[in-house]
Amino acid sequence: MVKIKAFRGIRPEKSLASQIASLPYDVLNSEEARVEASENPYSFLHIDKAEIDLDPELSQYDPKVYQKAHDNLADFLEKQWLQKENKPALYLYELTMKGQSQLGLVTVTSVTDYLEGKIKKHELTRADKEIDRINHIEACNANTSPIFLTYRDNYEVKTITKNWVNTHDAEYDFTSYYDVTHKIWVIDDTHVIDQLTALFETNIPALYIADGHHRTESAVKVGQKRIQAEGNDTEAPYQNFLSVLFPKEELRIFDYNRVLNIPITEQHLADLNYYFDVTPKGTEAFYPQANHTFSMFFKGKWHDVSLKENFLEEETDTLSQLSAAIFQKYVAENIFGIEDIRTDKRIDFIGGIRGLNELESLVNQEKFTMAFALKEATMDDLLTVADNGQIMPPKSTWFEPKLLSGLFLHDLT
């Protein structure tokens, strides 16, 4: 079972919440963040991507960037734009997009639980991205972005959280990026806090990382360093990291599509026809209906691309049958020789929220030569893969709506 804990959150002064809250640091590049925050001194991007306040020629990984993040956080606290809670609390964070809501519990989760495999992952991480967030956490002395976790639904947890929402006013209530409504409630009743922490410790066997593998690894490694340097005080803040926990039944994974920047040869097309049945479908975009099929856009037309039966029979478990896994094996590796899609510049990834028109546009503008729309994974797929101790191919899941940053920080002092 897993441990959760109330904490003294650092969060926005109520009237500034909508101005401080920003998209996550890894959704925007430095230039996009610079434009986004240029006329908003309250934007959390000044802390989360502090390079926007420095010379654009400076590397985003320069030590000056992390120092600037520290300085900007101190400034936000001094001006009381961000304020630390007087006593430990839990929080509820509801996001509503296109009429569909998901209600998460904001808490801190255990470094030890992660190390013992009770908080399960489904992706690998890159060392350079880990180092960036480690440096950022250490400079700010805080977890500055929450990790998006999920768990198998629990009736008692849902009953308590829904009851709190129905009987208390929201602390924050605003609509932001992509018309998503964000509401937050503060759970400051010690009896309710004790009920929820006990339920997780007795009824929830595991948590699963939905989004934020790099943030998790970075937070855990900072915690491990603090434990080694300062001692294994079980009550110390660095024993835990900032998380938002959502029941998996309320979440939806979007498709995560691929575009290739490779001159397409006759041999590539022959190889494609060797592994797949390829059927031209015309100019009207369509989504694939099964994991072993793709919608391919090439030379102004859409094609149905379906893995041939004899190859499909070789893929027997949940992981190998994922659309992203089939693409990785048969298209990326076997046809185009792309072994590491995380670093190979010949491939890029387009979140499904941007739609199939974005794939068409990128190919028609000759920024890419070929595009593939993939069937989205399910939450059950994710949990099964994680339970089996397996790793999904990179860029297998795209979650919407995104948790905003700046609404909660976890002080490590």
Side-chain angles (χ1 to χ4, degrees):
M1 304 302 165
V2 297
K3 294 181 176 66
I4 67 168
K5 189 175 181 179
F7 68 106
R8 292 178 61 197
I10 296 173
R11 57 188 182 85
E13 193 278 320
K14 189 171 183 177
S15 66
L16 297 177
S18 64
Q19 294 168 273
I20 288 175
S22 71
L23 289 170
Y25 77 95
D26 52 355
V27 171
L28 302 169
N29 63 36
S30 297
E31 186 52 40
E32 289 169 335
R34 187 172 282 108
V35 172
E36 174 73 25
S38 62
E39 296 183 4
N40 181 8
Y42 304 109
S43 173
F44 193 70
L45 292 169
H46 294 288
I47 295 167
D48 228 13
K49 292 186 73 69
E51 69 269 18
I52 67 175
D53 294 330
L54 299 170
D55 186 338
E57 299 300 316
L58 192 71
S59 166
Q60 68 185 83
Y61 306 118
D62 190 283
K64 294 177 183 177
V65 173
Y66 305 111
Q67 181 61 47
K68 187 63 175 174
H70 169 275
D71 294 345
N72 285 348
L73 175 55
D75 187 53
F76 275 45
L77 288 166
E78 182 179 356
K79 293 175 177 175
Q80 296 193 357
W81 297 350
L82 291 174
Q83 302 171 2
K84 189 169 183 177
E85 206 79 64
N86 291 325
K87 64 178 184 178
L90 296 173
Y91 308 87
L92 294 173
Y93 183 3
E94 182 186 73
L95 300 92
T96 303
M97 184 176 73
K98 296 181 179 179
Q100 181 173 334
S101 296
Q102 58 193 56
L103 182 65
L105 181 65
V106 184
T107 181
V108 291
T109 48
S110 167
V111 168
T112 300
D113 280 353
Y114 179 79
L115 295 172
E116 292 180 352
K118 296 177 184 178
I119 299 175
K120 302 184 181 187
K121 62 184 180 181
H122 66 269
E123 287 185 6
L124 296 177
T125 54
R126 287 173 49 181
D128 57 334
K129 291 189 174 183
E130 285 184 30
I131 292 169
D132 169 52
R133 285 300 102 179
I134 288 171
N135 290 338
H136 194 273
I137 293 169
E138 291 185 328
C140 294
N141 206 15
N143 302 133
T144 53
S145 296
I147 290 139
F148 183 175
L149 301 179
T150 187
Y151 61 96
R152 288 187 170 87
D153 204 5
N154 179 276
Y155 175 78
E156 293 175 279
V157 171
K158 178 173 285 188
T159 299
I160 292 171
T161 55
K162 293 289 187 183
N163 181 65
W164 189 274
V165 165
N166 291 334
T167 57
H168 293 79
D169 293 332
E171 179 75 2
Y172 308 141
D173 182 351
F174 62 91
T175 299
S176 189
Y177 306 94
Y178 307 113
D179 292 322
V180 176
T181 298
H182 302 262
K183 292 184 179 181
I184 285 166
W185 292 261
V186 181
I187 301 179
D188 52 5
D189 184 314
T190 55
H191 175 67
V192 175
I193 291 171
D194 290 344
Q195 280 184 303
L196 287 168
T197 53
L199 280 169
F200 275 84
E201 193 159 5
T202 58
N203 288 272
I204 308 297
L207 300 172
Y208 301 81
I209 302 172
D211 195 13
H213 284 77
H214 287 94
R215 274 167 279 172
T216 307
E217 287 284 350
S218 303
V220 167
K221 286 177 178 173
V222 170
Q224 288 179 290
K225 288 173 68 176
R226 295 287 180 90
I227 291 168
Q228 186 175 14
E230 302 178 31
N232 195 21
D233 177 1
T234 58
E235 296 302 312
Y238 52 75
Q239 296 276 5
N240 303 284
F241 54 90
L242 181 63
S243 303
V244 188
L245 285 50
F246 292 90
K248 67 105 171 173
E249 286 77 6
E250 296 183 7
L251 302 180
R252 177 190 168 188
I253 300 174
F254 283 68
D255 47 307
Y256 211 165
N257 302 314
R258 276 74 168 131
V259 286
L260 301 179
N261 186 20
I262 299 173
I264 307 300
T265 66
E266 291 299 321
Q267 185 60 54
H268 289 144
L269 297 177
D271 290 342
L272 191 68
N273 281 280
Y274 174 75
Y275 292 109
F276 297 89
D277 292 318
V278 181
T279 306
K281 291 291 186 180
T283 58
E284 186 173 347
F286 63 95
Y287 285 97
Q289 298 302 305
N291 284 358
H292 64 282
T293 66
F294 309 119
S295 300
M296 181 183 78
F297 188 71
F298 177 59
K299 290 189 174 179
K301 292 184 179 180
W302 286 94
H303 303 72
D304 180 89
V305 178
S306 181
L307 187 67
K308 291 182 176 178
E309 189 67 29
N310 57 309
F311 296 112
L312 182 60
E313 290 174 353
E314 299 176 8
E315 313 306 336
T316 57
D317 66 350
T318 298
L319 176 60
S320 67
Q321 292 176 6
L322 292 177
S323 188
I326 290 172
F327 180 91
Q328 177 62 28
K329 178 178 178 179
Y330 292 99
V331 180
E333 295 177 8
N334 291 3
I335 298 175
F336 292 103
I338 300 173
E339 298 289 338
D340 186 354
I341 65 174
R342 297 183 301 170
T343 59
D344 198 308
K345 301 300 184 185
R346 296 175 296 166
I347 188 169
D348 207 348
F349 308 90
I350 309 298
I353 194 69
R354 295 166 66 179
L356 298 183
N357 289 341
E358 179 71 5
L359 302 183
E360 283 191 19
S361 177
L362 290 170
V363 174
N364 287 336
Q365 294 176 50
E366 299 185 352
K367 294 180 179 179
F368 294 90
T369 52
M370 183 177 278
F372 292 83
L374 278 60
K375 185 79 168 68
E376 70 275 8
T378 67
M379 288 301 300
D380 285 331
D381 291 334
L382 187 155
L383 269 60
T384 298
V385 169
D387 282 337
N388 291 339
Q390 297 173 303
I391 298 297
M392 287 183 173
K395 311 295 186 182
S396 291
T397 58
W398 179 276
F399 285 91
E400 289 286 349
K402 299 294 185 188
L403 308 182
L404 296 186
S405 293
L407 295 173
F408 308 96
L409 288 80
H410 172 225
D411 191 349
L412 295 180
T413 56

